[in-house]
Amino acid sequence: MSDVLLVEKLDGHVALLTFNRPEKMNALNQEVRQALFAALFDLRDDDDVRVIVLTGAGDKAFIAGADIAEFKDARPVDQYRSMQRGNIYSAMEEFPKPIIAMINGYCLGGGCELSMACDIRVASSRAKLGQPEINLGIIPGGGGTQRLPRLVGEGQAMRLIMTGEMVSAAEAEHIGLVEKIFEPENLRDGTLEIARTIAARSPIALQAAKESILAARRMPMDEGLKFERAWFGLLFSTADKDEGVDAFLNKRQADFKGT
Ligand code: COA
């Protein structure tokens, strides 16, 4: 296991992944990206883990962006390829289990892009979010120009990406960049409660929900509705559906197995 990314399996089928370069504000370098890939690869087939939570070590940063030190001598073709081949952001989106970003501080550049590739963003009231690449004379390269407008609308995305300015957690919540805010001291418990609530649902139904919601990005409405209907029908073949319906009818808690 790499020490730039700590992997902990917690109660309630939740895995907590912590970016661990606090002295560099958890800046995202190649080593961290590879460690995240490897961890997701392992967790994908681990039936004991149903929800992933990502956070940053220390109390300052989730991730303060791509490691700018790696930009200094980077060749254009390498930058292009590193974003194309093995794109971690797309891998997270395609990951069959829910991923929650627990944003504990600065969430900038590639960090903000990473949080947008998660399914849900929960932030500390002290967090600051933004896409400051324009200050370096570049633009977001990890999907920021595509995912940000989908979350907050084109105008707000233009404002954030063109000014490069950070927004507070409160403003991020207001524009739809984060879904929930907690005071710093409650962030971990509050986020894990959300994670455990989700992890108690049927894993197959969760995958169906994630794939169907994301399908809306690339499909016109009628195709998306068909896609949803296919998943909806398929779920009627699962033991989890029988369990969920039986639990409701018998006024008991469902125990979903993912089958
Ligand atoms: N890449 C590489 N190193 C980074 C970094 C990044 N994205 N963000 C922070 N660091 C490093 C700093 O260089 C510093 O290292 P040092 O102690 O060896 O000098 C350390 O992390 C602490 O950062 P510092 O700037 O001293 O902290 P601060 O509290 O004054 O400011 C930030 C915090 C996040 C506002 C500031 O670090 C910053 O603007 N970072 C860059 C954000 C950015 O542009 N990200 C997009 C990259 S595409």
Side-chain angles (χ1 to χ4, degrees):
M1 194 180 80
S2 160
D3 60 2
V4 295
L5 182 74
L6 308 178
V7 179
E8 290 168 83
K9 287 214 246 168
L10 307 179
D11 294 345
H13 302 293
V14 174
L16 178 65
L17 274 52
T18 306
F19 300 107
N20 189 33
R21 298 179 72 218
E23 71 292 350
K24 292 288 177 195
M25 300 273 174
N26 301 316
L28 206 54
N29 62 10
Q30 280 305 343
E31 191 187 355
V32 178
R33 286 197 192 91
Q34 276 159 16
L36 182 55
F37 252 121
L40 290 180
F41 187 81
D42 288 346
L43 294 171
R44 171 187 289 265
D45 297 325
D46 185 338
D47 289 340
D48 201 34
V49 171
R50 297 183 180 180
V51 175
I52 316 284
V53 177
L54 299 183
T55 196
D59 58 1
K60 294 214 175 84
F62 173 70
I63 294 177
D67 191 328
I68 299 172
E70 285 187 348
F71 284 178
K72 195 163 177 301
D73 299 315
R75 292 191 322 145
V77 69
D78 295 333
Q79 287 302 105
Y80 178 77
R81 285 193 186 134
S82 78
M83 285 303 176
Q84 178 194 38
R85 163 168 27 90
N87 185 310
I88 188 65
Y89 307 94
S90 301
M92 288 167 60
E93 226 164 52
E94 283 156 21
F95 195 71
K97 304 176 187 188
I99 308 182
I100 301 175
M102 180 163 94
I103 303 169
N104 53 311
Y106 289 114
C107 179
L108 303 173
C112 191
E113 292 173 298
L114 203 83
S115 79
M116 290 190 286
C118 293
D119 303 310
I120 300 171
R121 286 145 294 279
V122 180
S124 149
S125 58
R126 280 208 216 116
K128 288 197 185 313
L129 297 90
Q131 296 288 160
E133 290 87 347
I134 203 84
N135 298 321
L136 303 174
I138 55 174
I139 64 168
T145 64
Q146 304 304 301
R147 293 192 182 95
L148 187 58
R150 284 175 164 90
L151 277 174
V152 305
E154 207 174 270
Q156 294 289 9
M158 291 280 187
R159 177 175 71 98
L160 289 179
I161 290 173
M162 289 180 169
T163 64
E165 286 173 4
M166 301 181 214
V167 293
S168 65
E171 187 175 353
E173 186 186 35
H174 180 69
I175 63 178
L177 182 51
V178 306
E179 282 71 45
K180 181 89 187 159
I181 297 181
F182 289 103
E183 290 308 313
E185 61 276 18
N186 300 328
L187 179 66
R188 182 183 161 105
D189 286 353
T191 309
L192 290 181
E193 194 181 327
I194 296 171
R196 287 185 178 122
T197 299
I198 294 172
R201 312 302 186 220
S202 161
I204 316 177
L206 290 173
Q207 182 178 357
K210 177 168 176 170
E211 283 190 17
S212 299
I213 292 168
L214 290 175
R217 292 187 186 174
R218 58 177 198 280
M219 289 181 186
M221 185 77 166
D222 57 339
E223 293 299 318
L225 290 172
K226 274 188 213 155
F227 188 85
E228 177 193 85
R229 220 162 51 229
W231 257 118
F232 182 69
L234 188 67
L235 291 173
F236 279 73
S237 67
T238 65
D240 277 358
K241 171 256 157 193
D242 294 340
E243 167 66 7
V245 171
D246 186 72
F248 177 81
L249 295 175
N250 290 295
K251 301 188 189 312
R252 65 176 176 82
Q253 198 72 27
D255 179 15
F256 294 116
K257 305 276 192 234
T259 54

